[in-house]
Amino acid sequence: MKKLSLYIISCMLVILAACDNDFESEFDLAPDERAAIAVNEFKDALTSSEHGWLTHYYPNPTKLGSFTFHFKFDETGTVNMNWDFSDFSDESKYSVKMFEKPVLIFDTYSKFSKMTDPEIGEPGKGFGGELEFSMTKKSADGDTLYLAERVSGDPMVLVKATAETPAQLREYAKHTKHIERANEQVVVPFYFNLSVEGWDTKVNMVYSGDKIIAFLNYVDNGEAKHELMPINFTHEGFEFHHALVLNGIGARSFKYDEAKNQFDVTDAGVTGTFKYEADCPAHIEGMTDKFFGPQTFGGDAKIVSPKLANLIDGIYPDAAFSYFSTSTYVASWFPCTFNLDFADWNSLKIRVNYNKKTEDIVKMEFLGYEPYWSAPLDDLAYIEGLMSTEKGQAILDIVASPKGWTIVPIELKEYGSSYYLVSNEDPEMYMCFGLTYEDDE
């Protein structure tokens, strides 16, 4: 028994000695030495990729979508970069310094600095991003680096780029144009609807290109929902910031099928498609009162579907059609007008009442015409002559259709909201109030 006890004690002493040796191997270095090792390991990881790193960076995912960057860090403290907005390479000085942990710092102004520039984005705040990142972990194969913003802790994931990455980055723009519907050439119905096997509802998506955000309208358990969803683009299509889950099935990633002009779901085990359709899957309450009720502001619609633009163009012989507008305080001042504005700054003003047909459908009741201050559209007889033609009557039939126009919200705010008006007579005719895309780059 004594021999057994001595044997157990001896084993324990051996184990304790081994643990003590391990402890000493990790902690017998001075704090400055340990910090230097950690900093060098971070720098080695950043410079380890031959073709650099790709990241979809969300500077403020509660308000903005992703800006995609291609970084290539060198050992001299310079990072070369490009992004998806425009093909123009740039560089910044960078450093890795030890604070509570090793931190990557973008030291000089570059494209990436725009994520924090207070003169860009939200006044005084910029896009809400950061320029300092700690590394939280590295994948086992070293192909992915998981970083976190130093202050907020929001993630930035770096994935090893390939030789094809620079060319693929230029593919993002075409998918942006597909879903923001700017300069759209193909005549399709307005509603961009997602159907997924196992869902009992469709999800309509409208896109705000100035903020890289999708707004999703759908019905869940009988309740109409309007949800903000930041997105990032890929060379094949786009991705949601996080999966949209309905009936326990999530959809996040989408690949463009050019032959069918649709985006197919690519998530494993999920089958679904974004298609252009004529049916609105969700009707949002309060839209007519918000945009066309008493003391509501008018605005300009400078994004117009090709079919509707073609219908208007040519009605006025002196200049091309430019955009639509509604009068300020559309339902408070008289007369209310719906305006066809032309490239020579003239305007054909149709007098209407904006009547509430449903919570999200407004009907324009035709009352006549309002002469403009500039010739020749200051002459009522001249206006009536234009609108008595076959083209003029076709325009009036759409504008004042008894079926009205569905209001599809994009971004809803107290001031400066944006929305589409979609013709219920012909859903291939629509216009967007509040967005222009003129300053995307």
Side-chain angles (χ1 to χ4, degrees):
M1 186 69 181
K2 287 182 179 180
K3 289 183 179 180
L4 179 61
S5 299
L6 288 172
Y7 176 75
I8 293 172
I9 292 171
S10 298
C11 290
M12 292 177 65
L13 289 173
V14 170
I15 293 170
L16 289 171
C19 291
D20 187 56
N21 288 337
D22 289 343
F23 181 84
E24 288 178 359
S25 68
E26 291 184 17
F27 293 98
D28 59 358
L29 297 176
D32 288 348
E33 292 177 299
R34 293 199 301 271
I37 291 173
V39 165
N40 287 333
E41 288 178 347
F42 196 174
K43 290 183 71 173
D44 289 345
L46 292 171
T47 58
S48 66
S49 176
E50 177 184 2
H51 302 291
W53 303 91
L54 188 72
T55 183
H56 301 300
Y57 178 54
Y58 288 84
N60 186 349
T62 63
K63 294 182 179 180
L64 290 171
S66 160
F67 297 83
T68 299
F69 286 88
H70 179 205
F71 296 130
K72 193 170 191 309
F73 298 88
D74 70 21
E75 295 180 356
T76 69
T78 298
V79 53
N80 292 283
M81 66 183 72
N82 210 335
W83 65 348
D84 55 340
F85 263 36
S86 60
D87 187 11
F88 184 78
S89 59
D90 197 5
E91 66 178 35
S92 169
K93 291 296 182 181
Y94 80 93
S95 58
V96 177
K97 297 180 180 178
M98 175 60 75
F99 293 95
E100 62 279 2
K101 58 181 67 176
V103 173
L104 165 66
I105 304 171
F106 292 84
D107 291 314
T108 57
Y109 195 88
S110 65
K111 288 181 184 295
F112 195 66
S113 305
K114 296 180 185 295
M115 302 298 96
T116 63
D117 191 331
E119 295 184 1
I120 303 173
E122 188 175 351
K125 297 182 180 179
F127 289 141
E130 296 183 25
L131 298 177
E132 299 182 0
F133 301 84
S134 60
M135 186 163 72
T136 58
K137 65 177 180 177
K138 180 171 65 172
S139 64
D141 58 9
D143 287 350
T144 306
L145 305 180
Y146 298 89
L147 278 59
E149 293 175 342
R150 185 182 173 200
V151 176
S152 72
D154 285 344
M156 181 169 76
V157 179
L158 305 183
V159 178
K160 258 187 186 176
T162 67
E164 291 74 35
T165 295
Q168 291 175 344
L169 200 60
R170 306 279 60 86
E171 294 290 303
Y172 288 33
K174 70 180 183 182
H175 300 307
T176 304
K177 295 300 181 185
H178 286 145
I179 66 171
E180 74 181 9
R181 313 184 80 116
N183 303 317
E184 190 171 35
Q185 300 301 316
V186 179
V187 175
V188 293
F190 169 76
Y191 299 102
F192 188 51
N193 294 338
L194 173 60
S195 301
V196 172
E197 289 187 10
W199 288 3
D200 53 12
T201 185
K202 293 182 179 182
V203 176
N204 173 246
M205 173 176 141
V206 289
Y207 177 66
S208 172
D210 58 345
K211 294 186 177 179
I212 324 174
I213 285 178
F215 291 89
L216 309 178
N217 302 311
Y218 59 98
V219 176
D220 185 22
N221 293 322
E223 180 184 357
K225 295 191 174 183
H226 177 70
E227 179 178 335
L228 178 155
M229 176 65 78
I231 72 169
N232 66 260
F233 289 94
T234 70
H235 67 282
E236 293 185 323
F238 67 96
E239 297 174 331
F240 290 158
H241 174 262
H242 53 274
L244 176 66
V245 180
L246 296 171
N247 288 355
I249 301 170
R252 180 171 182 255
S253 302
F254 310 93
K255 180 179 179 180
Y256 184 60
D257 183 334
E258 186 171 6
K260 297 181 179 179
N261 192 28
Q262 65 186 35
F263 287 83
D264 298 324
V265 177
T266 59
D267 300 286
V270 181
T271 301
T273 305
F274 261 119
K275 293 181 179 180
Y276 296 99
E277 299 178 329
D279 299 325
C280 176
H283 295 275
I284 309 300
E285 292 187 0
M287 294 298 97
T288 306
D289 291 338
K290 180 172 179 60
F291 294 113
F292 294 94
Q295 298 184 359
T296 53
F297 287 94
D300 299 338
K302 296 188 176 181
I303 299 174
V304 179
S305 70
K307 189 172 184 179
L308 182 55
N310 288 337
L311 175 64
I312 304 299
D313 214 18
I315 186 63
Y316 174 53
D318 290 4
F321 169 69
S322 185
Y323 61 93
F324 295 109
S325 64
T326 58
S327 299
T328 305
Y329 280 104
V330 291
S332 301
W333 291 357
F334 188 83
C336 301
T337 59
F338 178 79
N339 312 313
L340 284 55
D341 297 305
F342 299 95
D344 65 351
W345 303 101
N346 230 324
S347 183
L348 195 161
K349 302 173 79 67
I350 303 173
R351 292 174 57 191
V352 298
N353 275 337
Y354 293 100
N355 296 327
K356 180 177 179 179
K357 186 175 176 70
T358 68
E359 286 290 320
D360 68 340
I361 296 177
V362 62
K363 178 181 177 296
M364 302 185 207
E365 177 188 0
F366 174 66
L367 300 178
Y369 304 100
E370 182 72 15
Y372 195 51
W373 57 267
S374 178
L377 294 177
D378 59 347
D379 184 342
L380 182 59
Y382 176 78
I383 298 171
E384 290 175 339
L386 295 179
M387 295 302 288
S388 65
T389 63
E390 183 177 354
K391 176 178 276 288
Q393 188 59 52
I395 292 171
L396 197 59
D397 288 345
I398 286 293
V399 170
S401 167
K403 296 180 180 179
W405 296 76
T406 295
I407 303 164
V408 182
I410 306 175
E411 185 171 19
L412 296 176
K413 301 184 293 186
E414 184 177 2
Y415 301 106
S417 296
S418 50
Y419 63 95
Y420 276 93
L421 277 184
V422 184
S423 169
N424 293 324
E425 188 70 43
D426 184 350
E428 292 178 354
M429 297 193 183
Y430 49 85
M431 64 191 87
C432 178
F433 286 84
L435 295 178
T436 65
Y437 301 127
E438 293 174 351
D439 300 318
D440 272 3
E441 296 186 2

